[in-house]
Amino acid sequence: MGGANGKQWVMLVAGSKSWKNYRHQADVCHAYQIVHQNGIPDEQIVVMMYDDIAYNAENPYPGKIINKPNGPNVYPNVPKDYTGKEVTPENFLAALKGDSSAVKKSNPKVITSGGNDTLFIYLSDHGGSNTFCFPKGTLHAHDLIETIKEMARNYKFSKVIQHRRSSAGGRASYADAHIHLSALKCEAYVNTEKQELHQFFNMIWIISSCIIQQPPPLLLEKQIQMVIYMESCESGSMFTTLPDNVHVYAVTSARAHENGYACYFDSVRKTYLSDEFSAVWMHYTEANDLDKKTFRDQFSYLQEKMQKSHSCRFGDKTMCEDPISVFVKYTPQSVQDKTRAEELALTHLTSNDEVPFKILEHRIRTETDAGKRQYLIRKQETLHQTKAKIEGTVKAIKQQFPGFALEGDLDDDYSQMDLHAFKTVAEHFRTTCFDWHEEEFQMALSHTHVFARLCARGVEAERIKAVITAVSRGRRFLQ
């Protein structure tokens, strides 16, 4: 089990910006306070967030961010490792791999984990099928999974053998065989069942030791383990192809075709403070003795307490038996006592695609200035028109695939989908029709499942792109 004699690394990412997305940065700030109070030093915590909330012109309490009703200020001392334009999917993946040369920032903080270290990653933002958003970029499932596989190929997560030599040093043949078998074992762990391989190579070690009259090596399992928690709509689609043998375990806020939900609408701040999944897992983390609670326990709690979306898990599920403290250390007793005294009561649960409409409705209803109220009403009308335009475009695309528009099942096997093909299609839709990096078109993300279904059913990417182009041109001609 990782973490016994290693470091706990943490990476926290809020992918959004602007006041209406307040909750995502509030989630990340709260997560930082949790791991910081648990004793993880800042040099082992990497934080990425736009940082436009605490001193936003719309913040009635400058310098303060809360993540639950009447909650504490979670903004103080949050590291500003990556802010503003530095919050990109490219920088995230480079920092994750520890590749400082690939980060577009001077003197970047990156994950420099080693043997027996653990890494806990938490991301919060908008998403769609196989996509997680950043302010001006998209993290595609293809790129995330390929990065994890690359780290595995480089033995970032593989088990490495250390051996014990005799005082005499041993013969060259013993050392050569030892190095060769160690390399084979490391490589094989990436693609083969771990337990059977471990037993097989241990048997080889014992036999070889008897033949050359050397003591068997001391097998010290060194590994890096990663846990990923992702808060976004359709986040379950991000990990359908995550290997189960690279010591990576992922938990998502929603199924592959399910919206996430915001919670805790604040009538003074006029925005949502948190998200359903995040509120639940953080409450559990702060309320319990993490030496005695495992990731399996926490996942059961998520399933019990989440009322709208459904949390999912992927990857190496044997890690479910690890105590949570292996990754985020131990919650102080005083914090546990205080959190348990505060009953978890999720309120104002609102589907993420309805959040901008609900915020505008509240502002229109409470605005007393007639001129400002009319401005908000026009803004609301424009938002509805944009939604209708996006829906109409996607409907026209679907109609070009006979039979597809009439099918409503969600049972496609995405684990076999070509993620790179989907990425090219999704990016073509974004650049040709609606750039979801722009605030007005953010809701276009919720329609990417259409392209995921087509790709999963084997429709060629070039054919889908051609239809997207034709429909886009036709609708522009009609306007």
Side-chain angles (χ1 to χ4, degrees):
M1 181 174 62
N5 297 302
K7 296 179 179 179
Q8 286 99 344
W9 292 86
V10 175
M11 197 165 189
L12 307 172
V13 181
S16 68
K17 64 177 182 177
S18 83
W19 187 253
K20 72 181 179 67
N21 293 317
Y22 177 106
R23 61 195 184 279
H24 302 134
Q25 293 185 60
D27 290 341
V28 160
C29 288
H30 188 182
Y32 165 76
Q33 300 299 340
I34 289 174
V35 296
H36 177 76
Q37 74 189 4
N38 287 10
I40 298 179
D42 283 359
E43 56 265 27
Q44 291 164 216
I45 304 172
V46 177
V47 179
M48 303 183 79
M49 68 177 193
Y50 207 82
D51 196 28
D52 62 343
I53 299 301
Y55 293 97
N56 192 290
E58 296 189 63
N59 192 346
Y61 308 100
K64 294 184 178 180
I65 296 176
I66 63 174
N67 195 220
K68 58 185 177 181
N70 303 311
N73 182 10
V74 294
Y75 186 67
N77 303 315
V78 175
K80 308 297 193 305
D81 299 316
Y82 296 83
T83 60
K85 295 181 179 179
E86 298 165 350
V87 182
T88 68
E90 294 80 12
N91 280 348
F92 164 70
L93 293 176
L96 173 61
K97 293 187 292 185
D99 187 359
S100 57
S101 64
V103 176
K104 295 180 180 179
K105 171 185 171 66
S106 59
N107 301 316
K109 186 195 290 188
V110 299
I111 303 297
T112 56
S113 53
N116 279 344
D117 288 359
T118 62
L119 173 56
F120 177 78
I121 302 172
Y122 167 62
L123 306 97
S124 179
D125 191 17
H126 296 287
S129 281
N130 304 287
T131 54
F132 177 88
C133 260
F134 280 73
K136 285 295 181 181
T138 303
L139 176 64
H140 288 273
H142 171 269
D143 300 328
L144 177 59
I145 298 302
E146 286 304 308
T147 296
I148 291 173
K149 289 180 179 178
E150 177 188 345
M151 294 168 74
R153 286 192 297 270
N154 294 333
Y155 309 141
K156 194 80 174 179
F157 307 120
S158 300
K159 296 187 179 181
V160 180
I161 302 300
Q162 289 188 344
H163 65 276
R164 177 180 60 210
R165 294 173 182 262
S166 67
S167 58
R171 295 199 298 265
S173 60
Y174 173 78
D176 291 344
H178 208 351
I179 293 170
H180 179 64
L181 287 173
S182 295
L184 282 174
K185 185 171 184 180
C186 288
E187 183 176 1
Y189 259 123
V190 177
N191 297 307
T192 314
E193 291 294 333
K194 297 186 289 295
Q195 185 175 358
E196 293 180 4
L197 258 178
H198 192 69
Q199 294 172 350
F200 174 70
F201 277 100
N202 281 351
M203 179 179 68
I204 291 179
W205 281 119
I206 294 171
I207 294 172
S208 63
S209 298
C210 292
I211 293 172
I212 60 178
Q213 296 182 338
Q214 287 284 353
L218 178 63
L219 298 181
L220 299 179
E221 291 189 351
K222 277 195 169 184
Q223 61 184 14
I224 301 164
Q225 293 183 313
M226 179 193 294
V227 168
I228 307 173
Y229 275 31
M230 181 176 284
E231 171 80 67
S232 70
C233 289
E234 303 180 49
S235 48
S237 65
M238 290 292 288
F239 299 100
T240 56
T241 61
L242 177 66
D244 63 1
N245 59 350
V246 292
H247 309 300
V248 180
Y249 170 66
V251 180
T252 65
S253 61
R255 293 171 178 164
H257 294 293
E258 192 173 49
N259 281 336
Y261 283 75
C263 63
Y264 302 145
F265 184 80
D266 189 298
S267 59
V268 176
R269 292 172 175 81
K270 301 176 183 178
T271 192
Y272 290 83
L273 303 180
S274 187
D275 296 278
E276 181 185 28
F277 169 75
S278 297
V280 174
W281 82 254
M282 289 191 212
H283 179 87
Y284 185 89
T285 300
E286 291 192 289
N288 285 281
D289 181 345
L290 303 184
D291 283 337
K292 299 178 181 178
K293 297 295 184 179
T294 66
F295 285 106
R296 183 185 299 278
D297 297 327
Q298 188 171 64
F299 186 74
S300 296
Y301 185 80
L302 285 163
Q303 291 184 307
E304 175 189 349
K305 295 297 183 180
M306 291 177 66
Q307 303 170 28
K308 295 294 186 178
S309 53
H310 300 82
S311 184
C312 298
R313 55 184 177 172
F314 303 87
D316 186 354
K317 296 184 180 66
T318 65
M319 293 171 61
C320 289
E321 306 308 325
D322 286 351
I324 300 172
S325 60
V326 170
F327 286 80
V328 297
K329 290 197 171 183
Y330 179 83
T331 302
Q333 188 62 52
S334 59
V335 175
Q336 292 182 47
D337 295 341
K338 181 180 179 182
T339 306
R340 281 197 292 266
E342 302 169 355
E343 182 180 355
L344 177 65
L346 299 172
T347 60
H348 310 105
L349 288 166
T350 304
S351 178
N352 281 326
D353 56 6
E354 289 296 319
V355 164
F357 295 96
K358 293 296 184 181
I359 290 176
L360 270 174
E361 288 172 8
H362 174 81
R363 293 193 172 197
I364 292 169
R365 188 169 60 251
T366 57
E367 182 56 64
T368 56
D369 183 279
K372 290 181 179 179
R373 190 168 186 272
Q374 284 303 311
Y375 167 77
L376 292 171
I377 291 174
R378 289 194 298 271
K379 191 173 180 179
Q380 183 186 49
E381 291 172 349
T382 300
L383 192 62
H384 280 288
Q385 291 169 1
T386 300
K387 180 181 179 182
K389 182 179 179 181
I390 294 171
E391 290 174 345
T393 299
V394 174
K395 181 179 179 180
I397 293 170
K398 289 165 62 177
Q399 288 173 341
Q400 300 304 308
F401 298 91
F404 176 79
L406 301 177
E407 296 178 16
D409 68 277
L410 300 176
D411 297 326
D412 301 287
D413 184 8
Y414 295 109
S415 64
Q416 303 302 316
M417 183 170 62
D418 185 339
L419 290 178
H420 184 265
F422 171 81
K423 176 183 175 181
T424 62
V425 170
E427 283 300 310
H428 187 71
F429 176 71
R430 182 184 68 80
T431 56
T432 304
C433 298
F434 306 103
D435 187 354
W436 53 69
H437 298 152
E438 302 299 327
E439 186 173 336
E440 62 178 319
F441 297 130
Q442 202 167 67
M443 66 186 81
L445 269 172
S446 64
H447 296 278
T448 53
H449 70 274
V450 170
F451 310 116
R453 286 188 185 182
L454 287 171
C455 289
R457 293 173 184 176
V459 181
E460 292 184 357
E462 291 305 314
R463 181 187 170 198
I464 303 171
K465 288 164 63 178
V467 169
I468 291 172
T469 299
V471 169
S472 177
R473 288 174 179 172
R475 293 182 71 82
R476 281 201 298 268
F477 177 76
L478 294 173
Q479 291 176 351

